[in-house]
Amino acid sequence: MLIREAAAGDWPRIWPFWHRIVAAGETYTWDPDTDEEAARALWMAPAKRVYVAEDDSGGIVGSAFVTPNYGGPAARIANAGFMVDPDRAGRGVGRALAEHILASAEAEGYRGMVFNAVVETNPAVRLWMSLGFTIVGTIPEAYDHPRFGAVGLHVMYRAL
Ligand SMILES: CC(C)(COP(=O)(O)OP(=O)(O)OC[C@H]1O[C@@H](n2cnc3c(N)ncnc32)[C@H](O)[C@@H]1OP(=O)(O)O)[C@@H](O)C(=O)NCCC(=O)NCCS
C-alpha cells in the first residue's frame, strides 16, 4: 500500500466511499445528504493537506486530511479526518493512514492533534486510543445515531 498526497483528480475515486460513509450518518457530523460538490469543498478545501492510500493495483482505498484546528496563536494544533472504503475496512488501512498523518503533522511543526467530534459508539475510538489519544471530554447526547439514538461526541487529543 502507498500513502501519498492527493491530487485534485483523485476526488472522483474518493467520493463513492465518502458518500457511503457520510450517508450512513453514524460517524461524521456532516449532513448525510451532502452532495458531491459540497463534499469536495469540505474534504479537498485549500487549507487541508489531503492524503490517499492506494492498494497495489492503484485503487484508492482510503483518504485523510490534516488542517489547523484553530487559527492565530493556536494554529499549531492540528485537526485530521479519516475515511477508509467500507469494502476495505478492517485490514490496517486506517491505522497506516493515521500513523502517516501523525508523523507528517509532527514534521510540519504541529504540536498536537485534536479530534472535535468522535461519535462515542465509533469503533475508531479504540484505534485513536491505541495511538495515544485521550478523551478530553464528551458532549453528552449530541449525536442522533440511526441505530443507537442520542450518543455522545468525544473531543480527543494527542500531543505530537
Ligand atoms: C475508522 C476507520 C478510518 C478505520 O479504518 P480501518 O482501515 O477499518 O481500520 P484498521 O483496519 O486499520 O483497524 C484499526 C483498529 O481499529 C479497530 N477497528 C477499526 N474498525 C473497526 C470496526 N468496525 N469494528 C471493530 N474494530 C475496529 C481494530 O480493532 C483495529 O485494531 P488493530 O489495528 O489493533 O487490529 C474506518 O473504519 C472508517 O473510515 N470508518 C468510517 C469513518 C470514520 O469513522 N472515520 C473516523 C471518524 S473519528
Side-chain angles (χ1 to χ4, degrees), residues 27-28 82-84 89-95 122-124 126-128:
T27 54
Y28 274 89
F82 298 86
M83 289 195 189
V84 172
R91 299 181 202 173
V93 177
R95 181 178 290 280
N122 190 338
R126 282 217 327 266
L127 172 59
W128 306 145

Side-chain angles (χ1 to χ4, degrees), residues 20-42:
R20 202 169 146 193
I21 288 167
V22 174
E26 297 192 351
T27 54
Y28 274 89
T29 56
W30 290 318
D31 183 346
D33 294 328
T34 304
D35 67 23
E36 181 170 356
E37 271 319 297
R40 187 215 298 262
L42 286 168

Side-chain angles (χ1 to χ4, degrees), residues 64-139:
F65 69 79
V66 183
T67 191
N69 193 56
Y70 311 107
R76 285 171 67 190
I77 300 299
N79 172 242
F82 298 86
M83 289 195 189
V84 172
D85 183 341
D87 290 336
R88 309 299 286 268
R91 299 181 202 173
V93 177
R95 181 178 290 280
L97 267 171
E99 286 171 350
H100 189 91
I101 261 65
L102 285 165
S104 305
E106 185 178 358
E108 283 174 50
Y110 285 110
R111 291 195 295 225
M113 183 174 287
V114 65
F115 298 146
N116 300 301
V118 183
V119 179
E120 67 181 347
T121 52
N122 190 338
V125 172
R126 282 217 327 266
L127 172 59
W128 306 145
M129 294 190 84
S130 78
L131 290 166
F133 284 82
T134 57
I135 298 169
V136 176
T138 304
I139 316 302

Side-chain angles (χ1 to χ4, degrees), residues 37-75:
E37 271 319 297
R40 187 215 298 262
L42 286 168
W43 198 257
M44 309 288 277
K48 290 177 172 162
R49 192 179 288 260
V50 184
Y51 297 84
V52 290
E54 278 185 359
D55 65 12
D56 292 344
S57 49
I60 294 180
V61 296
S63 183
F65 69 79
V66 183
T67 191
N69 193 56
Y70 311 107

